[in-house]
Amino acid sequence: MAEASVDLEAAPIAPRRRARRRPLPSSLVAGGLVFAAIILVAIFAPLIAPYPFDEMHIRDRFHAPSLTYLAGTDEYGRDVFSRMIYGARLSLFMGVLATLVSLVIGVPLGLLSGYMRGAVDEAVMRILDIMMAFPPIMLVLLIITLTEPSLWKTSVAVGFLFVPAIARLMRSVCLDLAGEEYVLAARARGEGASYILLREILPNAWPPIIVEGSLRVTFAILLAAVLSFLGFGIQPPAADWGLMIAQARGYIERAPWIVLAPGLAMCVTVVAVNLFGDGLREYLDPRMSARRG
Amino acid sequence: MDDALLSIENLTVTYDTLAGPVTAVDDLSLAIGPGRAVGLVGESGSGKSTVAGAVLDLLAPGAAIDGGRIRFEGTDLASHDRATRRALLGRRIGSVFQDPFTSLNPAIQVGDQIAEPMMVHLGVGASEARAMTLERLDEMGFARPAEIAGAYPHQLSGGMKQRALIAAALACEPKLIILDEPTTALDVTIEAQIIDLLERLRTEKGLSYLFISHNLGVVRRVCEEVYVLYAGRLMERADTDALFDRPSHPYTRGLLASLPRLQPPHRVKRLSTIPGELPDLLAPPPGCIFEARCPFSAEGCDRPQTIRVAGVRQMTRCHRHAEIAGEAWPSRARLGHDFSRKGFGDALVNVVGLKKRFRMGGLFAGIKLKPGLPPRIVNAPPVVKAVAGIDLVIRPGEVVGLVGESGSGKSTLGRLLLRLEDPTEGAVEYDGLAIERLPQRALRPFRKEAQIVFQNADSSLNPRKTVGETLRRPLALFGIVPARERAKRVGDLLEMVRLPRAYATRYPHQLSGGEKQRVAIARALATEPKFIVCDEPVSALDVSVQAAVVNLLADLRDELGLSYLFISHDLAVVAQLSDRIAVMYRGTFAETGTADQVLSPPFHPYTLVLLASAPRVDGSAMPDRSALLRDAAPGAGAPDGDGCPFFARCPSRIEGTCDELPPPRRTPAKGHAIACHLKLDALPTRFVPAAPAMGAAPGAVASAGPE
Amino acid sequence: MIAYAAQRLVFVVFILVAMSLLVFAAIYALPGNTAAIMLGQFATPDSLAAMEAKMGLNDNFFVQYWRWASAFATGDLGQSMVMERPVAPILWDAMAKSTILAAASLFFVAVIGIVLGVVAAVRRGRPIDGAIAIFTYLGISVPEFFWGIVLILVFASWFDLLPTMGYASLSDGIGPFLAHLVLPVVTLTLTLIAHVSRMTRSSMLEVLQSNYVRAARARGLPERRVLRHHALRNGLLPSITVLAQDFGWLIGSIVVIETVFAYPGVGRLLIFAIQRQDIPVVLAVILVITAVYALANLAADLMYAYLNPRIRYGRSVG
């Protein structure tokens, strides 16, 4: 070993390769900021909202937007702006809960299916095929027909709906990573499945999970709104965006703001989360970072 | 230069990267005369493919020509608008790219893809284009051109695809063909076929080639003059013989010196290497760009330099080319401990009758519908025999080389030995312990002793772990050293693979390809193994880096007394390191023996084909190997039954015998085995036929026929 | 190819059986049984028992399932409890009306979505790409019912151009028939176009960067020809799968849109039935829709296989 120092092959300390510090995509920054703001609004809704969401101002029914009522009032004289702010809570809650449910079930399922292969894989994939053979919303409607609607149930049902997509994504990511040579090297030193899945594969699988998860939040928000609109989601007098639109439909000509305000709120939220997700995808996409000069 | 077909003058191409502009090609001038074959040689990052992109107007987004002119038949290409330029290039310059597997449109029949440029550029009708297409395919040596023309790309093998792409490049009878690594993705026997085809086409049609490649052997065979590129700059230009025999630039000398040669190994000799790595192209040094890696560098080499005349039709970019003219690249004759003299003792790994079959597809894949009324469902599980009956012994301190083409099952065999796959049949014994059926938990002691190093430096390290974390894990898992000594041991391991201790804090993306491969070797060494499967460990590396890693593996074998199963598609690399060599074809060993025995006659016909196909840089007479390379689609028409797997491609096959019966085992000498129906004295004995001019060369093989 | 089609068909049948079992089991396990619902809250235990016996509710699960399923297969979809009429004619009538909506929207989604996607991919990074991106973002960022309501507000309330509610049959004249379709179809198209165009864009981008497109360009083919002849064939193949996927979401959207526009289709029937706990109708609707969806997916798979030479021509030559 002594001669290693004069060895022609002894590598000199090469300068650290430049860490690829790529600028954050603007969509990620913009979407992230708005998304963060909406989360703050949802958390501190009671502090921000000018009125309680269910406080009725009987004299001011159908009041047009003004300085007193920033987004006007509805048919009971409730402040639409305050209800919008409280609505962010419910929407985000459902969006995040549904996504969590789908991740908690879908990610392990996909990992197992992708790593174990064989019979486990076949079984999981066939079950997912069956789940996917239902037209998406029918499954939720079926569950709701058979049980009483509630905030939790709706979110969980929506979450279930997303499980196949998440699990399939996870499986394909896992299949890719399981062929990586560092995973084979881990198997060659006799590591157990749990070490390989949790320490070798999962840390490299999280970028697509995060991206997919953020996009699922928007789907869940929209789907929950649809269910509320149809009357199968959150029940009145809760301030939910979908429910607000459903209830105000009849007054659309007289007081369009009652419909437009929650619609706008939903639009901003979903656009922000979508931008965030797309920006994240762009930032984390290995193909983008692998581009070399 | 004025009569040049294509002339590139002072071309500079820059890429806009996130870290800043990178000059990929710097002030390159190059001319191709009519009927000339010009080689453009370089390692990865040399900018050689960028040159093709610049000529063909196909630069990647973000790349732009910053200076210089490209003239075709005297006209500056930039003087045309984009559409005219493209039409002109398409009609007058053919192009063939590296990857035949993705270069044909999967949705269009092959014939239509060849006919299309004829109809667009030559204005011929569909039926005439079809006739011309069949003519082209016929020229490519296809036996049944009409069948190829009607096929979709996925129905063709890689070599057939590349031949179809060459036919498409020749569609409009261009005079110049740009070939960008046209054989790199192909097996060596297919490569030889394509090279022979290209040579024949050039003489028949008077074509000019711009031949871009990293493979010096292929360039020597095809080209008449060669340009050597390094880090975007032209290092040297010379006629082929001059370049290979009297290289004027140190880099050229280094490249040639570090190539493994096809000859039996010397336990104590090592390859020459080029130390260091490519300079940072974001901030290239102002002087000689090769200075940091050059053993001849001296004071003054950091001055700016230009390319200058170094000899007859030879130009070089070196300050000291005159002073160092006679000096050879420093070789590294390191004296190792020669185990082989003492013999190897008892088997460490003992494999008997090993078989592995894979079942393809999913649950329904095995069910086929047989047409008829009513249709019947038949059970026909598609099975691939990856390993079909292997016996193998590896002794302590011994290196067994395993050579084979893609799909030969060599990687599967390596994984079976480590129980990364479960065998279908047969026994694997390690140090007296039968491991083929042991549950994973009981394999733990074996796992510590037997390790693996893979091919792909990019995927061999977990990108989220530092080098230190990667190396600490096996130490902790097997309790090799107490926790407090692990940091020190990590440093020791890094030194063992000739890396600085400080590398422990780096992440894989901060390492070069060669450095990553060294870390992967260190990870294998961490468990203090006795046996390592090296699965194509240097195939993805550039020549100069490859030599250093091969040397490292040789050093470690000597220092630690390791045994390797060294898997590679490259016979020269295997020959460099191996005590014994096994030649694998479609799951079985065609020939096994000591390196000397395998590399010298008598040969198994397949070994002979491999040897004849291997590109060589030493300028020895090029054999006419066309008689050997028959029907070289891998696996084509192999018998399903018991016959010899090499039957369909064998130049000496005996109809009625070879395709019916399993080949017997011939033993020309102790330890040398050849699985072939040919009797010992009928086995082919020479792979370099007499000078090709004699014309008798093919006969040398053909006469070695049956009985 | 035939074997592939047979495999897929077997799977579809399997799915339908599984689905019907699942649906039936859900109803079977329901606490208040059908008899109780039919008789209402004033039912006496005696009348309940009589009703249960009459309806065969005391038989075991499989007997009941078999009775229900075999009737279903012969076209007897059961009896609506609320409307007290057979389900089949109601359902088929509603289906016909929804099919018009679905076919029209799917057509526009496919044509406009694919065109937008291709344009965005070809003009990547140009203003038109950005404009399409913004348009598609708006499409997926707001639920379909909101767009429906906004369209009603603009075209019906403010400009008074189009009817907002209901359905006119062809016998009422082609004008009113089409007028009633415009707003629902526009809304559905707006909602679904985003996904199709984004997926088309990304698959086209991938194809445009592929080696074979590069090789086609190197052969000097005009860009228009490269695009039409080489890129589109491969770039549009995945769109078939995307459209099949979106057909599922289209079904969901139709349920919502029919409610918004009071369009008497199968979606409105379903919501109506769910609200009134009209179990036989809910069951029949969900099963029939699932069958349609499964068949649509089967059709898409077969089309994909047919257009993809890798599946169509398996064997190798030479």
Side-chain angles (χ1 to χ4, degrees), chain A residues 276-289:
Chain A
F276 178 73
D278 280 355
L280 210 57
R281 190 202 307 269
E282 194 182 316
Y283 186 64
L284 298 175
D285 188 346
R287 275 179 303 182
M288 306 282 290
S289 60

Side-chain angles (χ1 to χ4, degrees), chain B residues 86 102 105 116 121 154-155, chain C residues 211 223 225 230 234 313:
Chain B
R86 183 191 284 188
T102 58
N105 192 324
E116 193 179 15
H121 295 311
H154 73 272
Q155 297 172 287
Chain C
N211 278 337
E223 189 61 29
R225 190 179 171 92
H230 287 265
N234 297 290
Y313 307 96

Side-chain angles (χ1 to χ4, degrees), chain B residues 96-104 110 142 148 152-167 181-191 193-194 197 405-406 632-636, chain C residues 316-318:
Chain B
V96 178
F97 298 111
Q98 172 170 356
D99 187 358
F101 299 92
T102 58
S103 292
L104 282 165
V110 171
F142 283 116
I148 302 297
Y152 283 90
H154 73 272
Q155 297 172 287
L156 306 184
S157 69
M160 291 160 97
K161 284 193 181 107
Q162 195 63 308
R163 280 194 276 166
L165 281 160
I166 295 172
E181 301 264 13
T183 60
T184 304
L186 304 172
D187 275 323
V188 63
T189 54
I190 316 289
E191 171 177 85
Q193 243 191 350
I194 297 286
L197 172 68
E405 295 175 286
S406 51
Chain C
S316 55
V317 302

Side-chain angles (χ1 to χ4, degrees), chain C residues 121-311:
Chain C
V122 173
R123 298 262 176 268
R124 181 191 197 181
R126 310 265 180 81
I128 181 84
D129 184 20
I132 292 173
I134 291 173
F135 175 73
T136 54
Y137 255 113
L138 284 180
I140 49 167
S141 295
V142 184
E144 54 275 61
F145 61 84
F146 182 72
W147 283 131
I149 291 169
V150 169
L151 287 180
I152 290 177
L153 186 65
V154 174
F155 287 99
S157 307
W158 293 353
F159 296 120
D160 201 13
L161 287 173
L162 293 163
T164 60
M165 295 286 164
Y167 165 85
S169 78
L170 265 177
S171 55
D172 302 331
I174 188 96
F177 171 74
L178 289 180
H180 279 91
L181 285 177
V182 173
L183 287 183
V185 169
V186 168
T187 316
L188 286 169
T189 310
L190 261 183
T191 333
L192 288 170
I193 226 169
H195 189 229
V196 175
S197 77
R198 299 182 106 198
M199 298 305 278
T200 305
R201 178 179 184 269
S202 73
S203 77
M204 275 301 287
L205 277 181
E206 200 164 297
V207 168
L208 286 173
Q209 287 159 1
S210 72
N211 278 337
Y212 56 82
V213 164
R214 185 176 141 93
R217 286 182 178 146
R219 272 175 227 141
L221 305 180
E223 189 61 29
R224 179 178 294 237
R225 190 179 171 92
V226 171
L227 188 64
R228 279 201 197 152
H229 200 207
H230 287 265
L232 282 185
R233 281 196 197 195
N234 297 290
L236 296 192
L237 209 48
S239 301
I240 297 172
T241 315
V242 172
L243 279 173
Q245 230 176 54
D246 283 358
F247 186 70
W249 293 105
L250 176 69
I251 292 172
S253 294
I254 282 182
V255 171
V256 179
I257 288 305
E258 287 182 354
T259 307
V260 172
F261 290 98
Y263 187 93
V266 74
R268 195 148 163 266
L269 179 68
L270 176 64
I271 298 300
F272 183 85
I274 293 178
Q275 281 164 346
R276 284 162 190 73
Q277 292 281 299
D278 194 345
I279 303 291
V281 178
V282 175
L283 270 185
V285 171
I286 288 187
L287 261 184
V288 168
I289 288 181
T290 305
V292 169
Y293 181 57
L295 289 174
N297 271 318
L298 174 70
D301 278 358
L302 294 184
M303 198 152 107
Y304 186 89
Y306 181 74
L307 291 176
N308 189 343
R310 272 172 192 282
I311 303 180

Side-chain angles (χ1 to χ4, degrees), chain B residues 35 46 115 145 185 216 249 259 318 354 372 376 429-430 444 476 498 509 514 556 597 599 610 627 674 678 680:
Chain B
S46 65
L216 293 166
H249 195 283
L259 270 184
C318 176
L354 194 61
R376 280 190 309 131
E429 229 172 60
Y430 178 86
R444 199 177 150 86
R498 324 282 188 256
H509 71 263
L556 291 169
Q597 287 168 339
L599 294 178
L610 280 183
I674 294 175
L678 295 181
L680 264 183

Side-chain angles (χ1 to χ4, degrees), chain B residues 303-540:
Chain B
R303 282 174 291 141
Q305 63 179 173
T306 52
I307 194 146
R308 48 177 114 175
V309 175
V312 184
R313 295 172 54 76
Q314 191 156 9
M315 298 202 297
T316 193
R317 192 191 292 266
C318 176
H319 287 298
R320 306 188 62 221
H321 73 92
E323 299 154 57
I324 62 169
E327 292 186 40
W329 188 265
S331 67
R332 210 204 109 204
R334 185 191 148 165
L335 288 176
H337 186 67
D338 188 358
F339 281 85
S340 56
R341 299 266 161 77
K342 287 189 290 181
F344 292 108
D346 293 337
L348 182 64
V349 179
N350 190 6
V351 175
V352 181
L354 194 61
K355 291 186 183 173
K356 175 67 182 179
R357 284 186 288 271
F358 288 106
R359 204 171 150 275
M360 303 300 287
L363 196 61
F364 294 106
I367 299 166
K368 288 267 178 308
L369 217 62
K370 212 170 178 181
L373 277 176
R376 280 190 309 131
I377 292 175
V378 291
N379 195 18
V383 163
V384 175
K385 286 189 223 167
V387 172
I390 289 286
D391 300 322
L392 176 68
V393 170
I394 302 173
R395 288 164 295 184
E398 187 182 38
V399 176
V400 174
L402 184 56
V403 197
E405 295 175 286
S406 51
S408 61
K410 55 189 191 301
S411 283
T412 307
L413 178 57
R415 286 170 194 198
L416 286 169
L417 295 198
L418 293 184
R419 263 298 295 282
L420 291 174
E421 301 277 0
D422 293 335
T424 315
E425 249 177 71
V428 182
E429 229 172 60
Y430 178 86
D431 212 2
L433 178 72
I435 59 153
E436 75 275 2
R437 294 275 176 269
L438 279 186
Q440 287 293 339
R441 226 171 294 115
L443 281 172
R444 199 177 150 86
F446 165 71
R447 294 279 180 226
K448 180 186 166 304
E449 298 227 329
Q451 280 293 312
I452 186 164
V453 174
F454 296 99
Q455 169 177 7
N456 192 340
D458 282 327
S459 106
S460 64
L461 302 177
N462 190 332
R464 309 237 168 241
K465 293 184 178 178
T466 63
V467 168
E469 283 163 0
T470 292
L471 296 182
R472 251 194 306 277
R473 175 65 193 177
L475 297 179
L477 186 69
F478 292 104
I480 306 285
V481 289
R484 62 179 185 285
E485 288 173 33
R486 278 182 204 142
K488 181 179 172 299
R489 175 59 67 92
V490 165
D492 295 345
L493 283 167
L494 285 170
E495 271 185 2
M496 223 186 272
V497 296
R498 324 282 188 256
L499 286 174
R501 301 183 87 96
Y503 272 39
T505 58
R506 294 196 179 187
Y507 281 95
H509 71 263
Q510 295 169 319
L511 306 177
S512 71
E515 288 169 343
K516 280 183 218 169
Q517 202 58 306
R518 286 164 189 268
V519 174
I521 293 170
R523 176 181 57 196
L525 294 176
T527 65
E528 299 177 349
K530 289 187 187 150
F531 171 57
I532 300 182
V533 172
C534 303
D535 189 354
E536 302 258 13
V538 296
S539 305

Side-chain angles (χ1 to χ4, degrees), chain B residues 262-264 571 575 581 583 589-613 616 623 628 646 650-652 664 666-669 672-689 700-701 704-705:
Chain B
L262 235 180
Q263 58 202 7
L571 199 47
I581 296 179
V583 179
F589 285 161
E591 180 169 358
T592 53
T594 65
D596 275 323
Q597 287 168 339
V598 171
L599 294 178
S600 40
F603 299 112
H604 186 282
Y606 177 57
T607 313
L608 184 73
V609 169
L610 280 183
L611 286 168
S613 304
R616 277 169 294 150
L628 291 176
F646 189 56
C650 184
S652 335
R666 314 274 184 204
T667 46
H672 190 192
I674 294 175
C676 187
H677 284 288
L678 295 181
K679 293 234 167 92
L680 264 183
D681 51 3
L683 283 169
T685 52
R686 30 212 292 240
F687 80 92
V688 184
V701 175

